[in-house]
């Protein structure tokens, strides 16, 4: 039996993307308007507006830099225009030099260097980006093995059907992708509370297992430092209304998305994963921040389960929305890509639905647009550790 293939864009550094975006990225919020105006005028361009980039202390500054650089390095991006203001902490030249290591085309525009300010910067940026588009957008995709796919798995707006049906269906697809040589990223460390021992027991080494325990307990201790009982404040009101009773129940349902294969390692927020198989990423439970971290970490596609209904997407990676809630599947049908309520209603086994989902994953990896892509959902928020100064 032949192995599944996807349509990929092979980048100069050997990584494979399933989309071919021109990325316009701001270094700081002060250059966001210019960034957006440039992207709006060039076909095939997407904008990422960084809300930070200045007034940050080193721990936060490092996270912001890593997220921006690794997002631009994601193989779904064919070329990058970095747009800076000029006086910010994160300099356009520094970002551009790091991104250039991939071998993909990179240009930069700095507003304070242009005679005429923002109008001149927009004009120059459009000119540079159109020239880049001639090179990037003519690249053709090619048949590549499915082992080149890196998939992030996410949940948001969870309810009782998430842990019972949609997350197990995604877990089936995760196992199948890993068995075919692919990579899966499971994130949201606070939503592993109460289930961390299960993941640690699946670690490939004691060192990795200990790192999983430390990662999860760090979030409990962080909340405690602000006199907040994280265990006592979860699940969220929407989760409770949807039928989830405890944080342990929520966590047990959440980790199933990653399947059942051994955990290869743990990476920090927005850090690129270091190999194949199942990886854990230390992200918040806030779903948009989590997706951004996984895409920076190399995910070229995200499967996102939602019981209550969450429409968000990502600027550079297709996000497949899965629900097992029959009401949500009907009410938010224009936002959902996959209906797993057949499992909830007893009409289909998890394995059958998992096979259907895996086929959709292949279709999306071969170019089929997701509902989030078609509707223009492209949310981007970076994890923040401490206050700005």
């Amino acid at each position: 039996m032949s192995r599944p293939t996807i349509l990929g864009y092979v980048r100069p550094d050997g990584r494979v993307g399933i989309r071919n975006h021109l990325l316009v990225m701001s270094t700081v919020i002060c250059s966001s308007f210019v960034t957006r105006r440039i992207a709006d005028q060039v076909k095939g361009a997407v904008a990422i507006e960084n809300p930070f980039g200045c007034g940050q202390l080193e721990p936060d500054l490092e996270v912001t830099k890593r997220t921006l650089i690794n997002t631009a390095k994601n193989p779904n991006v064919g070329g990058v225009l970095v747009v800076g203001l000029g006086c910010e902490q994160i300099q356009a030249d520094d970002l551009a030099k790091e991104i250039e290591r991939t071998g993909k085309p990179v240009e930069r525009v700095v507003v304070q260097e242009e005679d005429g300010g923002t109008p001149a910067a927009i004009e120059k940026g459009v000119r540079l980006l159109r020239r880049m588009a001639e090179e990037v957008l003519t690249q053709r995709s090619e048949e590549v093995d499915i082992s080149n796919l890196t998939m992030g798995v996410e949940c948001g707006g969870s309810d009782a059907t998430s842990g019972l049906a949609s997350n197990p269906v995604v877990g089936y697809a995760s196992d199948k992708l890993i068995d075919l040589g692919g990579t899966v990223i499971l994130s949201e460390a606070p939503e592993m509370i109460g289930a961390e021992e299960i993941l640690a027991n699946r670690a490939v080494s004691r060192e990795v297992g200990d790192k999983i325990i430390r990662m999860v307990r760090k979030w409990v201790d962080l909340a405690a430092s602000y006199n907040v009982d994280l265990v006592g404040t979860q699940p969220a009101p929407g989760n409770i209304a949807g039928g989830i009773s405890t944080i342990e129940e929520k966590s047990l349902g959440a980790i199933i998305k990653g399947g059942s294969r051994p955990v290869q390692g743990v990476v920090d927020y927005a850090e690129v994963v270091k190999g194949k198989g199942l990886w854990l990423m230390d992200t918040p439970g806030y779903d948009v921040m989590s997706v951004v971290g996984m895409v920076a970490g190399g995910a070229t596609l995200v499967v996102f389960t939602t019981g209550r209904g969450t429409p968000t997407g990502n600027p550079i990676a297709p996000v497949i929305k899965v629900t097992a809630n029959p009401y949500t599947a009907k009410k938010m049908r224009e936002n959902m890509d996959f209906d797993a309520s057949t499992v909830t209603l007893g009409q289909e086994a998890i394995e059958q639905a998992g096979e259907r989902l895996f086929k959709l994953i292949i279709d999306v990896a071969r170019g089929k647009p997701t509902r989030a892509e078609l509707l223009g959902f492209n949310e981007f928020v970076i994890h923040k550790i401490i206050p700005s100064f």
Side-chain angles (χ1 to χ4, degrees):
M1 185 176 177
S2 60
R3 286 175 59 86
T5 61
I6 59 177
L7 289 177
Y9 296 90
V10 182
R11 304 304 180 191
D13 61 357
R15 297 171 73 189
V16 177
I18 59 171
R19 296 294 186 267
N20 192 32
H21 293 298
L22 280 172
L23 176 60
V24 189
M25 172 183 285
S26 68
T27 60
V28 66
I29 193 169
C30 312
S31 59
S32 289
F33 176 82
V34 173
T35 297
R36 185 167 61 253
R37 288 297 299 272
I38 292 170
D40 286 346
Q41 296 181 60
V42 181
K43 184 179 179 181
V46 295
I48 284 181
E49 301 170 44
N50 171 28
F52 306 128
C54 219
Q56 292 185 280
L57 296 182
E58 188 54 42
D60 260 341
L61 191 64
E62 175 58 33
V63 170
T64 300
K65 281 182 181 177
R66 183 168 69 237
T67 305
L68 294 176
I69 289 169
N70 287 342
T71 298
K73 286 182 173 183
N74 186 293
N76 280 357
V77 174
V80 184
L81 175 65
V82 181
V83 182
L85 176 64
C87 56
E88 63 271 30
Q89 283 178 295
I90 297 179
Q91 289 286 298
D93 280 344
D94 294 338
L95 290 189
K97 286 175 184 175
E98 281 297 318
I99 299 165
E100 283 172 351
R101 295 175 182 271
T102 63
K104 65 181 67 172
V106 182
E107 296 285 357
R108 40 85 80 188
V109 174
V110 178
V111 173
Q112 292 171 354
E113 293 179 2
E114 298 304 316
D115 184 10
T118 56
I122 292 168
E123 182 181 353
K124 180 178 180 179
V126 170
R127 185 170 66 251
L128 290 171
L129 197 63
R130 284 176 177 162
R131 190 181 306 151
M132 189 185 298
E134 294 175 0
E135 174 186 352
V136 172
L137 299 184
T138 55
Q139 182 179 356
R140 293 183 179 276
S141 59
E142 55 189 272
E143 296 280 351
V144 296
D145 191 78
I146 197 168
S147 59
N148 289 285
L149 186 63
T150 299
M151 181 173 79
V153 291
E154 181 69 28
C155 57
S158 299
D159 67 7
T161 69
S162 299
L164 292 172
S166 58
N167 288 348
V169 168
V170 173
Y172 178 93
S174 294
D175 281 346
K176 186 158 186 173
L177 178 59
I178 290 169
D179 292 345
L180 288 166
T183 306
V184 173
I185 306 174
L186 174 66
S187 61
E188 298 183 293
E191 298 196 1
M192 299 174 190
I193 294 171
E196 64 268 33
E197 295 284 355
I198 295 172
L199 291 169
N201 288 337
R202 285 167 46 196
V204 295
S205 68
R206 182 172 180 176
E207 180 185 4
V208 171
D210 289 344
K211 196 170 183 180
I212 293 170
I213 300 297
R214 289 196 303 271
M215 174 187 71
V216 175
R217 293 183 180 169
K218 177 195 74 175
W219 288 91
V220 177
D221 293 341
L222 177 62
S225 71
Y226 290 95
N227 296 317
V228 174
D229 178 7
L230 187 58
V231 176
T233 58
Q234 285 284 345
N239 301 143
I240 295 170
I244 297 175
S245 60
T246 65
I247 191 171
E248 290 84 4
E249 180 186 345
K250 185 177 180 181
S251 296
L252 288 168
I255 67 170
I256 298 174
K257 301 189 304 293
S260 61
R261 301 302 181 252
V263 179
Q264 302 297 318
V266 178
V267 293
D268 288 333
Y269 183 88
E271 182 183 356
V272 178
V273 296
K274 301 174 176 66
K276 302 289 188 179
L278 176 62
W279 289 79
L280 305 189
M281 179 176 285
D282 186 4
T283 78
Y286 181 16
D287 45 30
V288 175
M289 279 185 182
S290 176
V291 168
V292 166
M294 290 191 292
V295 171
T300 50
L301 177 148
V302 176
V303 179
F304 189 129
T305 67
T306 177
R308 308 274 292 176
T310 303
T312 53
N314 183 266
I316 66 167
V319 178
I320 298 173
K321 287 297 170 64
V322 177
T323 188
N325 184 321
Y327 177 83
T328 303
K330 181 179 180 181
K331 198 74 173 178
M332 294 191 67
R333 58 190 175 277
E334 296 302 322
N335 297 101
M336 298 297 113
D337 296 283
F338 187 86
D339 181 4
S341 66
T342 50
V343 176
T344 305
L345 298 171
Q347 299 167 352
E348 194 175 27
I350 288 170
E351 295 78 10
Q352 291 172 302
E355 287 293 334
R356 284 198 298 117
L357 177 61
F358 194 73
K359 182 181 183 303
L360 176 60
I361 289 167
I362 293 174
D363 289 343
V364 171
R366 293 183 65 84
K368 179 180 180 177
T370 64
R371 297 297 177 90
E373 288 178 295
L374 291 170
L375 294 172
F377 287 96
N378 57 4
E379 290 75 13
F380 186 88
V381 181
I382 299 174
H383 175 39
K384 205 169 189 304
I385 305 171
I386 54 178
S388 295
F389 283 78

